[in-house]
Amino acid sequence: MGYAKKRCLKKGIRYTAVFVDADGYERSAGTYDTKKEADKEWKAAEAKVNEGRGQHLIRGRVLFQTYVERDWLPNLTVEVKTLENYFYQLYSKIMPTFGQMRMLDIYPIDIKRWLTKLKKGGVSAATRKYLKILLSTIMTSAVSDEVRLSNPCLLVKTDPVPKKPLVIVSPEQFDAFYNSLPDDMSKLLVETDVETGMRWGELTELRVHDFDQDTNVFTVQRAVVMVNSQFHPEGKRFLVKEYPKDKEYRLIKVDPILGQKFKAHIRNHNLKSNDLLFWYDPPKPPPATDLVLAKPGALGQTEPNEKGRTYQHGTLSGYTAGKCRLDCCKAAMADYRRNRRAEGKDSPRRPRVWDTDGHIPSRWFRDRIIKPALQVAGIKIDIRMHLLRHAHASWLLNGGADLVVVKERLGHASIITTERYLHTLSNADETALAALNKVRKQRCDMRDLSATGVANTCPEPTSITEVLAEMARLQEVLGKLAAQEGGQAV
């Protein structure tokens, strides 16, 4: 049984509410100014213990960061890439606010203030919603671990996130983009993506034995993700999962023409059964060339800068103060930097080298392959590889493919996900307008009948019998009109 423990402190006499937990140990439920308040609190605490809900008073004193790092993260069962995303969002957006707060002390108002602060800091509505869901996941886990009695996130709403319409690449845009790609392998990769709708991780993990050369069918049975080495079980950068995103294998048949391209690709590169069909081929650095420095006096002056001053071409001042980017001025700056490095005065940043086991880094492919091709093609739309997956689904539906077939090719777990591509049909608006015009034309025809004096002058029918009679009368009128038109034609 609990009691109020009298304590003589410098600030005066106070009383600590002491209760007995489920294991028989004395615990504190807080210190109060009066014995009456302390008695009330220890009785309430023991009542909760008797109800089996008192453990949160003890466990809830743990700091948010301690609970996350000790109990939540180590026992989290999610994909490695999801864990990496959780980790970055936790320590960049959530921990600075809640890390040093006790789990018991986090209230809905604290979450509202946090979300308001993020909004003022320019964080998008979609990211705020994601962060709130992540925090809610932690709090739900804390409730099941008896660290909290309730989840405070359930009482907090976030701003609505508008759904943006899907951007669909047209066949003409794709052809221009395809023809601007720099090499045959990148063209084959992009064409396969738009022909199959595979995800990037599925596409870049395809191996020779995944392609049946007799039937032109791909078996999608694995996927690869690029992660930080600290999240990889073996400290690598690419993790191959023995299943695709939907956890089910799927078969995708391709056009015979594309199948012939793959057969030639396998034959020309002498690929073995377990070799990747698409691999990372690092570009070779350009050979070093000797700088030819011209005499500055023979090159003239730079254009006036913002202060109206000009400098000689081929000099360091022409590059820095004159902001000239002609080859002669760039050569002067390059020579200056080379001499400083030779003297050990500078430590230039090492060029980025992708740590890969042969898989293609998505960032490298986007920066070095896609963006230059878009610039050459002059296409304003920002084509990403996932955009080609959207194009695959939209083109299939526009061509009359069944929705279930599209779902199976894309590997969607629910057909609801596939249905969003129905809104991308090119003739959707035309069909709606045609239906509307049809109804309006019928109403106009009825008004024309009224003008001839043969339309019904009786009140609007209100019973089934009257409706049937009205339909029979209209059929008779339409028959007469058809007969008149037939007579005029004769």
Side-chain angles (χ1 to χ4, degrees):
M1 183 175 178
Y3 59 94
K5 182 178 180 180
K6 184 177 180 180
R7 304 184 64 185
C8 297
L9 305 174
K10 292 182 179 180
K11 297 182 179 180
I13 297 176
R14 303 194 73 194
Y15 297 87
T16 299
V18 180
F19 71 99
V20 180
D21 65 12
D23 298 324
Y25 293 99
E26 289 188 352
R27 303 290 184 182
S28 170
T31 302
Y32 305 89
D33 294 331
T34 65
K35 183 176 183 299
K36 182 177 180 180
E37 290 177 324
D39 286 337
K40 179 181 177 181
E41 293 300 325
W42 72 255
K43 290 178 181 179
E46 281 202 346
K48 291 179 180 179
V49 171
N50 294 333
E51 295 174 4
R53 298 187 291 112
Q55 291 297 321
H56 75 282
L57 294 173
I58 303 168
R59 298 179 181 177
R61 296 176 183 176
V62 67
L63 296 180
F64 177 86
Q65 183 170 351
T66 303
Y67 172 76
V68 169
E69 295 177 346
R70 184 189 65 190
D71 300 327
W72 187 71
L73 275 176
N75 301 307
L76 200 58
T77 54
V78 294
E79 298 286 353
V80 174
K81 191 65 178 180
T82 304
L83 179 62
E84 181 182 16
N85 292 334
Y86 281 0
F87 188 87
Y88 291 146
Q89 296 294 351
L90 266 172
Y91 286 94
S92 63
K93 300 292 192 303
I94 298 179
M95 284 298 182
T97 299
F98 300 105
Q100 299 306 309
M101 293 180 66
R102 298 193 307 177
M103 293 295 290
L104 274 177
D105 296 336
I106 299 176
Y107 293 95
I109 186 60
D110 300 313
I111 299 173
K112 292 177 182 178
R113 290 169 179 166
W114 167 64
L115 291 172
T116 302
K117 182 179 178 182
L118 291 176
K119 184 176 182 178
K120 292 181 179 179
V123 179
S124 66
T127 302
R128 297 198 305 273
K129 182 178 180 180
Y130 174 82
L131 291 170
K132 188 237 176 179
I133 292 174
L134 177 56
L135 180 60
S136 181
T137 302
I138 298 172
M139 290 300 177
T140 300
S141 176
V143 172
S144 64
D145 293 338
E146 296 186 354
V147 175
R148 288 188 59 96
L149 276 179
S150 61
N151 181 355
C153 294
L154 300 179
L155 302 175
V156 179
K157 295 183 178 180
T158 55
D159 294 333
V161 180
K163 291 185 178 181
K164 299 180 180 179
L166 291 176
V167 178
I168 303 300
V169 181
S170 68
E172 295 76 17
Q173 291 172 327
F174 175 78
D175 290 341
F177 167 65
Y178 175 85
N179 293 326
S180 301
L181 292 168
D183 55 73
D184 292 338
M185 188 165 68
S186 62
K187 289 183 178 180
L188 184 60
L189 188 151
V190 166
E191 185 178 7
T192 306
D193 196 14
V194 82
E195 289 282 342
T196 63
M198 293 187 198
R199 302 176 179 91
W200 174 259
E202 299 166 347
L203 186 65
T204 54
E205 174 48 25
L206 287 177
R207 299 179 184 270
V208 175
H209 61 78
D210 295 322
F211 178 61
D212 189 334
Q213 300 188 36
D214 296 329
T215 60
N216 296 322
V217 173
F218 280 103
T219 302
V220 181
Q221 53 188 327
R222 295 175 313 281
V224 64
V225 292
M226 185 175 181
V227 297
N228 192 297
S229 58
Q230 64 176 319
F231 297 99
H232 195 289
E234 300 176 5
K236 299 178 180 179
R237 292 301 306 275
F238 288 87
L239 177 67
V240 177
K241 301 186 298 182
E242 296 301 325
Y243 50 86
K245 185 177 180 180
D246 58 339
K247 310 294 191 301
E248 293 181 0
Y249 293 5
R250 67 183 190 274
L251 302 177
I252 302 179
K253 188 177 182 64
V254 297
D255 187 83
I257 298 177
L258 182 59
Q260 290 297 329
K261 291 182 180 180
F262 268 103
K263 294 173 186 177
H265 177 70
I266 295 171
R267 182 175 59 253
N268 294 338
H269 292 90
N270 194 25
L271 299 180
K272 303 299 186 292
S273 176
N274 202 43
D275 288 344
L276 291 169
L277 285 173
F278 308 107
W279 59 91
Y280 171 66
D281 188 12
K284 297 179 181 179
T289 57
D290 294 332
L291 296 176
V292 179
L293 301 178
K295 295 181 179 180
L299 299 175
Q301 300 290 114
T302 65
E303 295 292 331
N305 61 10
E306 62 274 6
K307 295 183 179 180
R309 297 176 181 175
T310 61
Y311 302 87
Q312 288 185 349
H313 279 304
T315 62
L316 194 60
S317 298
Y319 183 89
T320 56
K323 298 181 180 180
C324 176
R325 294 301 180 263
L326 294 178
D327 290 340
C328 55
C329 293
K330 290 168 68 175
M333 174 56 74
D335 181 64
Y336 169 76
R337 289 173 174 168
R338 182 179 60 180
N339 292 333
R340 285 186 61 86
R341 287 194 295 270
E343 297 171 1
K345 295 180 180 180
D346 284 338
S347 298
R349 183 179 64 182
R350 298 176 59 185
R352 182 170 188 175
V353 178
W354 290 98
D355 181 12
T356 173
D357 55 0
H359 290 95
I360 302 176
S362 59
R363 178 69 179 274
W364 173 84
F365 192 80
R366 175 170 172 76
D367 291 344
R368 298 300 180 90
I369 304 296
I370 294 181
K371 288 185 176 180
L374 291 175
Q375 188 173 5
V376 171
I379 300 176
K380 295 182 179 180
I381 184 173
D382 184 15
I383 294 180
R384 293 169 283 109
M385 293 302 291
H386 204 72
L387 218 59
L388 299 181
R389 175 176 165 85
H390 295 331
H392 174 75
S394 180
W395 293 0
L396 286 180
L397 292 173
N398 270 290
D402 186 78
L403 191 64
V404 176
V405 174
V406 178
K407 169 187 174 295
E408 295 300 325
R409 285 181 70 91
L410 294 178
H412 286 158
S414 171
I415 200 169
I416 297 176
T417 307
T418 316
E419 286 178 348
R420 64 177 180 161
Y421 293 105
L422 292 174
H423 301 289
T424 66
L425 295 179
S426 59
N427 62 342
D429 287 340
E430 286 76 5
T431 304
L433 290 174
L436 179 62
N437 291 333
K438 181 179 179 181
V439 174
R440 294 191 65 188
K441 185 176 184 300
Q442 290 176 349
R443 292 181 61 84
C444 290
D445 291 342
M446 294 302 299
R447 287 198 297 269
D448 292 341
L449 288 174
S450 228
T452 62
V454 296
N456 182 27
T457 58
C458 298
E460 184 127 356
T462 57
S463 66
I464 296 297
T465 304
E466 292 178 350
V467 169
L468 294 175
E470 179 69 11
M471 291 177 62
R473 192 192 67 79
L474 289 175
Q475 288 179 353
E476 182 181 356
V477 171
L478 292 174
K480 292 180 180 180
L481 289 176
Q484 292 176 4
E485 291 179 357
Q488 292 175 359
V490 174

